[in-house]
Amino acid sequence: MSNDAGDATAGAPSPQQRASGLRIGWIMPPFLHELPVNAVDDEAAADQLYTLVTELLPDHPPEYQYRFALGLSAQLEPMVAANVIYAGLCPLEVEGRPSLSTIVVSQMEHDREDEAELLRTTRELLERKYPDDDCQRVELTCGPALTRTGTSRFVINAEWSASGNEQPVVLTQMQAYIPLPGTAEMLVFELSSQASEDWGLHAEVFGEILNTVDWGTDQEVEDYRAMQGGGSAGASAVAEPDESVKKGLYWHSSRLLDAMALRGRMGGQEPVGTTTCQDCWTKGLRTPCIATHHWHIDLPSADDLPGALSRVNAASSTNGWESETTDAGNTARGWEIDTAGERVGHSFTVSIDISARRITAEVTSPCTRASAPADSLFG
């Protein structure tokens, strides 16, 4: 792990800026293994490393597991000194063989006046220090950032090598520098891997993670808590959904309408809107991640209305969805599920008001962010 932009960005905050008071979040895929950079003491770190290597290398002999854990432990102290706030191992399997990368996140101060100047001066430093590397300004979901992609070489001492021998290493690396708005700080994400032949796959996972980075203020978190029990968690988040998202919602709404088998006057078709799902809002993420399509049917046949939810549940089961009926049998909810029975993809809610002879429906797109492990500190 390295902080190559440290010389350019370190310094006291300017009077116009402040230290970060943001709740910063991002989502790591569930297959990443978190390193104990925030362990309360050495004993806790050792216990966590032992659990990690036995899960990661179950078929390797204890001596190999011990040396691998020893090599990881040697990196923890330098990471803490470099303000690393997250570190994790990303094990993938490519054509039946293991492939490993490391993802590290640090938070650092800078003394630049604004984001544009920070990115410009950081890029100038990196291009002088690494003239053969590729530096690009990019637009992430959370805003502008800078990336650097290149290689570095070093030698692992035999004491820390899993094989017990001195080992020359060539690492392919990508760093992403993300300013935190209105503060004198920025996040630095770094991806490193010796598996150069699989670099494209690791970089793709890294890119998906970068596009989940988001933040919210303490006040926004309090606003969310105040809204519990009333209103949508992300009601203030508004953005125009992608056309493909709209088409997906309309398609599922059409199938839902067919399943109801009702004749009546259709209305209430508000424009598809976007918002932040409750899980992401709880994590401090504020950019929209789901889209919804609302509509209703008025004055359907009184004889057909009571059986509408049963027909919807039957169609859901036939199409491989999971569904349930709640609220005294007046509301049905359904979800797409995968082969393991996990809820994924689109979902719907259908409610019947017998006295008003109205049935209302809401179809929701899947969250655009990947799922995170429940026990991760940085979900």
Side-chain angles (χ1 to χ4, degrees):
M1 195 284 297
S2 60
N3 262 338
D4 296 311
D7 294 339
T9 60
S14 65
Q16 295 81 13
Q17 296 173 317
R18 56 180 172 79
S20 173
L22 301 175
R23 301 287 187 92
I24 306 162
W26 58 88
I27 297 183
M28 293 294 184
F31 51 81
L32 260 73
H33 295 259
E34 192 168 323
L35 295 175
V37 292
N38 296 299
V40 294
D41 53 38
D42 292 344
E43 183 177 351
D47 289 342
Q48 292 178 52
L49 284 177
Y50 174 78
T51 300
L52 186 154
V53 297
T54 52
E55 291 178 354
L56 192 63
L57 306 170
D59 299 325
H60 288 70
E63 181 181 354
Y64 187 93
Q65 293 176 345
Y66 172 75
R67 284 190 167 276
F68 189 76
L70 202 61
L72 293 176
S73 67
Q75 301 179 45
L76 295 182
E77 187 173 346
M79 286 182 179
V80 173
N83 295 321
V84 168
I85 57 177
Y86 174 88
L89 300 179
C90 178
L92 301 176
E93 186 172 295
V94 183
E95 297 179 354
R97 54 181 170 75
S99 184
L100 186 68
S101 64
T102 303
I103 296 176
V104 173
V105 186
S106 56
Q107 190 168 345
M108 54 195 300
E109 292 186 351
H110 63 82
D111 58 0
R112 305 306 169 187
E113 293 296 328
D114 56 37
E115 296 177 12
E117 182 188 5
L118 172 63
L119 294 177
R120 178 180 58 80
T121 55
T122 302
R123 181 170 185 167
E124 289 173 353
L125 172 68
L126 293 174
E127 288 178 337
R128 287 196 303 270
K129 192 172 183 179
Y130 303 99
D132 296 327
D133 291 356
D134 179 37
C135 292
Q136 298 285 340
R137 182 186 170 103
V138 297
E139 287 293 331
L140 302 177
T141 302
C142 62
L146 178 69
T147 62
R148 178 190 75 88
T149 305
T151 59
S152 63
R153 299 173 183 271
F154 61 93
V155 175
I156 299 178
N157 294 332
E159 179 184 3
W160 308 114
S161 170
S163 64
N165 301 313
E166 189 175 88
Q167 182 179 353
V169 172
V170 178
L171 281 181
T172 306
Q173 295 177 312
M174 176 182 288
Q175 293 170 328
Y177 300 85
I178 306 174
L180 297 177
T183 75
E185 296 179 334
M186 73 173 174
L187 296 177
V188 182
F189 280 70
E190 179 176 289
L191 169 71
S192 303
S193 180
Q194 300 179 48
S196 58
E197 68 275 22
D198 306 323
W199 175 252
L201 183 57
H202 287 282
E204 182 179 348
V205 173
F206 189 59
E208 292 294 328
I209 292 170
L210 292 179
N211 272 312
T212 69
V213 176
D214 207 343
W215 42 72
T217 64
D218 288 343
Q219 184 59 53
E220 287 175 318
V221 174
E222 290 303 315
D223 290 345
Y224 166 74
R225 291 171 179 165
M227 283 189 285
Q228 291 298 296
S232 174
S236 62
V238 178
E240 180 67 20
D242 186 82
E243 284 301 318
S244 62
V245 174
K246 292 181 183 179
K247 290 180 180 178
L249 289 172
Y250 294 150
W251 187 80
H252 283 288
S253 287
S254 178
R255 292 187 70 184
L256 189 59
L257 184 61
D258 290 342
M260 292 178 189
L262 295 174
R263 293 184 179 181
R265 186 176 67 240
M266 192 169 184
Q269 292 198 72
E270 303 171 6
V272 171
T274 58
T275 187
T276 307
C277 74
Q278 182 166 315
D279 287 345
C280 288
W281 188 279
T282 304
K283 296 167 186 173
L285 307 177
R286 294 295 176 268
T287 51
C289 60
I290 59 173
T292 56
H293 181 216
H294 299 267
W295 46 275
H296 65 254
I297 300 175
D298 285 328
L299 305 176
S301 168
D303 294 333
D304 292 338
L305 188 58
L309 296 189
S310 296
R311 293 190 291 272
V312 166
N313 288 334
S316 297
S317 178
T318 300
N319 292 318
W321 284 43
E322 177 184 277
S323 62
E324 64 181 14
T325 302
T326 59
D327 298 337
N330 292 326
T331 299
R333 295 185 176 90
W335 306 266
E336 285 186 276
I337 57 174
D338 59 19
T339 54
E342 298 294 327
R343 295 178 180 181
V344 297
H346 289 76
S347 61
F348 68 79
T349 301
V350 178
S351 298
I352 289 179
D353 186 334
I354 297 290
S355 60
R357 291 180 62 191
R358 167 177 283 193
I359 187 164
T360 59
E362 176 183 285
V363 180
T364 304
S365 69
C367 175
T368 55
R369 301 183 178 101
S371 298
D375 59 350
S376 173
L377 297 176
F378 298 96

